């Protein structure tokens, strides 16, 4: 089947950029991205493309090119489902906060709602694509819903997990390491796979499009995230040992990364990984392993999360200890709040947890992040429910520029590796701070020697 109409349910960090790139690369396909969130859709449709709801380098230009031509953002979910031959499900799959599997399993309620809605609306055969990250064997549940509640329509379910990283989403989508498509081994299943392969083949070389069975595809996504996160926890575990022994974690990472079997990427020690996916996907993997009675497998992967939590705690403890065991009423400036550079996403950012710890110690936190608003910072802290919104408001302030944020501070903590931080006039910042002036570099971003030369007491992760 030649695909000319695609619908994507979920206009978030995955649905928005992924569909924008499909639309740009396939002008013959009408791509409609739908969402229940009216505000989000309105922002995607904002006349000024700089106001689209997701900040990703290069994304606004692609949206500007394709929007209104063959890329559409809408809240008319049913109409888009009805029209499409292929429906991508790209809704959120957060960790469950209630009931069985609370705090571990993926909450599939949004997925199920989508499946039920598709089943209700569809009047002709459709390919349903799992784009969201899902537990292995979810396709079975989707199929059961579609087959038992549909209007006698045939559905093919494909798994096509997304591997983009935020901050580099556009490059990752334009030049993916691989596209993974899992489907049934039946003739119909293979035809559906081929239809989707043909879409990606408009810009992805054939040898990078991998096809598997559905279960391998679903599990590969969780596995990829678990392996990536494991590398960060591994290097972070060693960063603590480096601090005790006089080794330097950057030097260790470089030395091991030159071994072609290990490779240099994802070995940057940090205050801990954040983002909406690593933790949730590993917890999900742990839950699945436990549900099959594989306790050793579950414990092995759970340690990645335990290590990450430890790293965040260790960072805030170091700040308190170094500042003479008290941060009460001291101004500590956070450079960065997003979970990594080049994104406005703050989900599970280490900054949130470090701020929470320091506010518990009665510190006053000043935040500067080039892409994150005060409203978002406060919402993130309120979400933890550690204290009242009023109390958070008193403990945290946020600034439009870094220099003002640093004025009168006792210490600076670098939480996100934004490039601009390196370019600052650090002498000017030093002059405006309390002395001794401390920098706690949670990203090993700044030049230690240059900062020490100015007079800062500089502490990095793992050296
Ligand atoms: P997101 O929260 O940014 O977006 C999800 C969107 O789906 C929201 O706008 C929400 O309103 C919408 N939605 C939920 N239920 C809906 C329904 N029934 N009908 C219409 N819209 C609905 O989430 P995201 O970051 O885009 O992640 C989506 C999925 O992709 C998750 O499973 C995630 O694990 C996976 N993933 C995310 C990334 C990433 O970098 N963020 C990368 C790869 C995979
Ligand atoms: C990650 C994966 O890299 C993507 O392949 C995947 O598609 C995505 O999760 C997902 O499923 O959501 P993302 O979380 O957007 O992407 O960003 P990463 O670049 O992986 O960074 C995650 C966290 O790890 C960030 O907080 C980052 O600062 C941290 N990190 C990364 C380190 O601390 N050290 C490193 O060496 C690399």
């Amino acid at each position: 089947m030649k695909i000319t109409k695609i619908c994507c349910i979920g206009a978030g960090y995955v649905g928005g950029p992924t569909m924008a790139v499909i639309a740009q690369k396939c002008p013959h396909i009408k791509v409609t991205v739908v969402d229940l969130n009216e505000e989000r859709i309105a922002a995607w449709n904002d006349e000024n493309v700089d106001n689209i709801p997701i900040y990703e380098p290069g994304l606004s230009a692609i949206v500007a090119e394709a929007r209104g031509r063959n890329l559409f953002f809408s809240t008319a979910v049913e109409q888009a489902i009805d029209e499409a031959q292929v429906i991508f499900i790209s809704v959120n799959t957060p960790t469950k906060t209630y009931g069985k599997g609370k705090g571990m399993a993926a909450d599939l309620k949004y997925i199920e709602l989508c499946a039920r809605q598709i089943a209700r609306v569809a009047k002709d055969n459709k390919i349903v694509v799992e784009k969201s990250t899902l537990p292995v064997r979810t396709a079975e549940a989707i199929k059961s819903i579609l087959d038992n509640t549909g209007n006698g329509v045939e559905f093919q379910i494909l798994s096509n997990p997304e591997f983009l990283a935020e901050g580099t989403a556009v490059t990752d989508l334009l030049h993916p390491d691989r596209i993974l498509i899992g489907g049934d081994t039946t003739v119909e299943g293979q035809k559906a796979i081929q239809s989707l392969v043909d879409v990606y083949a408009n810009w992805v070389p054939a040898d990078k499009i991998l096809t598997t069975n559905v279960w391998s595809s679903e599990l590969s996504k969780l596995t990829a995230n678990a392996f990536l996160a494991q590398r960060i926890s591994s290097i972070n575990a060693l960063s603590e040992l480096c601090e005790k022994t006089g080794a330097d974690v950057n030097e260790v990472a470089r030395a091991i990364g030159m071994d072609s079997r290990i490779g240099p990427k994802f070995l940057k020690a940090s205050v801990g990984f954040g983002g909406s996916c690593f933790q949730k996907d590993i917890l999900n993997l742990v839950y699945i392993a436990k549900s099959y009675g594989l306790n050793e497998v579950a414990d092995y992967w759970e340690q990645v999360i335990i290590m990450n939590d430890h790293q965040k705690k260790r960072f805030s403890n170091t700040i308190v200890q170094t500042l003479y065991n008290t941060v009460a009423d001291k101004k500590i400036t956070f450079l960065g709040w997003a979970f990594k550079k080049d994104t406005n996403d703050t989900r599970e950012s280490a900054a949130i947890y470090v701020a929470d710890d320091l506010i518990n110690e009665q510190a006053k936190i000043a935040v500067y992040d080039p892409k994150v608003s005060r409203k978002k910072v406060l919402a993130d802290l309120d979400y933890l429910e550690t204290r009242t919104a009023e109390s958070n408001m008193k403990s945290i302030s946020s600034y439009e520029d870094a220099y003002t944020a640093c004025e009168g501070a006792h210490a600076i903590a670098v939480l996100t590796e934004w490039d601009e931080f390196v370019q600052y006039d650090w002498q000017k910042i030093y002059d405006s701070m309390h002395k001794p002036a401390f920098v706690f570099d949670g990203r090993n971003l700044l030049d230690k020697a240059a900062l020490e030369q100015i007079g800062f007491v500089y502490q990095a992760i793992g050296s």
Side-chain angles (χ1 to χ4, degrees):
M1 177 167 53
K2 187 158 167 59
I3 305 302
T4 54
K5 281 181 189 151
I6 286 178
C7 152
C8 173
I9 310 180
Y13 282 86
V14 168
T18 309
M19 293 302 128
V21 167
I22 292 183
Q24 188 205 30
K25 293 293 176 186
C26 311
H28 59 284
I29 300 180
K30 179 182 175 190
V31 180
T32 308
V33 192
V34 291
D35 205 296
L36 297 172
N37 183 334
E38 289 177 11
E39 206 183 323
R40 209 166 207 185
I41 291 296
W44 279 112
N45 283 324
D46 197 297
E47 241 170 77
N48 180 353
V49 278
D50 292 334
N51 293 336
I52 57 174
I54 286 165
Y55 173 71
E56 277 291 340
L59 180 60
S60 55
I62 293 178
V63 171
E65 181 188 331
R67 198 177 57 182
R69 179 188 72 189
N70 64 325
L71 174 65
F72 302 91
F73 294 93
S74 162
T75 50
V77 181
E78 300 205 342
Q79 186 189 336
I81 292 173
D82 182 30
E83 283 179 2
Q85 299 153 293
V86 178
I87 300 159
F88 285 82
I89 302 183
S90 194
V91 301
N92 36 330
T93 49
T95 305
K96 262 186 102 175
T97 53
Y98 55 89
K100 191 162 175 271
K102 178 179 173 182
M104 300 287 283
D107 190 344
L108 299 180
K109 70 179 174 203
Y110 305 107
I111 296 285
E112 181 167 341
L113 277 172
C114 288
R116 288 188 185 280
Q117 197 164 21
I118 295 168
R120 201 172 57 242
V121 172
K123 296 194 226 36
D124 52 6
N125 296 352
K126 304 213 184 278
I127 299 172
V128 176
V129 183
E130 299 175 347
K131 186 50 118 178
S132 299
T133 302
L134 295 170
V136 56
R137 297 205 78 89
T138 302
E140 205 166 37
I142 296 181
K143 188 154 183 46
S144 164
I145 292 168
L146 290 174
D147 287 350
N148 290 305
T149 48
N151 313 318
V153 164
E154 294 280 318
F155 293 101
Q156 280 302 320
I157 296 154
L158 300 179
S159 160
N160 171 221
E162 184 48 60
F163 295 99
L164 69 80
E166 289 178 30
T168 54
V170 170
T171 321
D172 295 343
L173 288 163
L174 291 175
H175 310 285
D177 285 347
R178 77 322 209 164
I179 294 291
L180 179 58
I181 303 174
D184 273 356
T185 46
T186 57
V187 175
E188 278 67 35
Q190 294 300 304
K191 276 192 197 155
I193 290 179
Q194 192 55 48
S195 302
L196 193 55
V197 167
D198 291 344
V199 172
Y200 284 109
N202 282 293
W203 79 98
V204 181
D207 61 347
K208 295 204 165 175
I209 305 179
L210 203 65
T211 60
T212 64
N213 78 33
V214 187
W215 320 127
S216 304
S217 174
E218 287 178 337
L219 189 56
S220 297
K221 173 62 196 178
L222 292 183
T223 308
N225 275 358
F227 268 60
L228 289 168
Q230 179 206 43
R231 276 174 75 97
I232 304 170
S233 277
S234 296
I235 200 71
N236 281 344
L238 269 309
S239 74
E240 191 170 12
L241 190 57
C242 286
E243 288 167 25
K244 298 283 180 218
T245 56
D248 178 330
V249 77
N250 299 311
E251 292 178 353
V252 173
R254 183 146 185 259
I256 64 163
M258 283 172 78
D259 184 326
S260 60
R261 293 168 302 176
I262 297 175
K265 293 182 184 168
F266 257 70
L267 285 179
K268 184 100 182 138
S270 70
V271 55
F273 60 75
S276 61
C277 292
F278 279 171
Q279 175 165 309
K280 112 175 140 55
D281 292 348
I282 293 177
L283 289 172
N284 188 2
L285 193 64
V286 169
Y287 182 75
I288 294 168
K290 277 195 181 149
S291 69
Y292 285 104
L294 309 179
N295 293 327
E296 289 77 6
V297 177
D299 290 349
Y300 177 78
W301 288 108
E302 192 163 21
Q303 198 60 34
V304 173
I305 304 286
I306 293 171
M307 188 61 227
N308 197 50
D309 288 341
H310 172 66
Q311 189 76 347
K312 290 182 270 187
K313 230 344 149 225
R314 203 165 78 72
F315 188 73
S316 41
N317 283 345
T318 302
I319 295 178
V320 176
Q321 274 165 21
T322 312
L323 295 182
Y324 316 106
N325 287 315
T326 174
V327 289
D329 292 324
K330 289 181 181 166
K331 177 177 175 181
I332 301 175
T333 300
F334 278 26
L335 291 183
W337 188 265
F339 82 98
K340 64 184 284 199
K341 72 170 179 177
D342 291 337
T343 178
N344 59 351
D345 194 350
T346 64
R347 290 176 290 181
E348 290 300 324
S349 180
I352 303 169
Y353 297 94
V354 176
D356 191 49
D357 283 348
L358 295 176
I359 294 172
N360 281 344
E361 294 289 335
Q362 300 188 353
K364 298 284 180 217
I365 307 294
V367 180
Y368 167 73
D369 186 293
K371 292 289 173 197
V372 181
S373 65
R374 172 169 165 78
K375 195 172 147 206
K376 188 82 197 70
V377 169
L378 280 170
D380 287 338
L381 274 177
D382 292 349
Y383 187 74
L384 295 183
E385 293 183 348
T386 315
R387 60 191 82 72
T388 62
E390 199 187 5
S391 158
N392 282 332
M393 210 134 48
K394 283 188 190 143
S395 305
I396 203 150
S397 51
S398 111
Y399 293 81
E400 294 288 306
D401 85 289
Y403 293 98
T404 323
C406 292
E407 263 173 32
H410 293 259
I412 291 171
V414 180
L415 272 305
T416 314
E417 72 283 21
W418 286 100
D419 291 338
E420 65 175 65
F421 299 162
V422 179
Q423 314 299 331
Y424 287 171
D425 179 347
W426 281 94
Q427 181 68 57
K428 182 174 162 189
I429 291 174
Y430 179 78
D431 292 343
S432 75
M433 288 175 64
H434 275 279
K435 308 294 177 313
F438 295 87
V439 171
F440 299 93
D441 191 345
R443 294 293 181 165
N444 291 355
L445 179 74
L446 303 174
D447 183 339
K448 174 181 163 74
L451 263 68
E452 285 180 348
Q453 174 77 30
I454 291 171
F456 281 104
V457 181
Y458 175 84
Q459 221 161 313
I461 302 273
S463 61

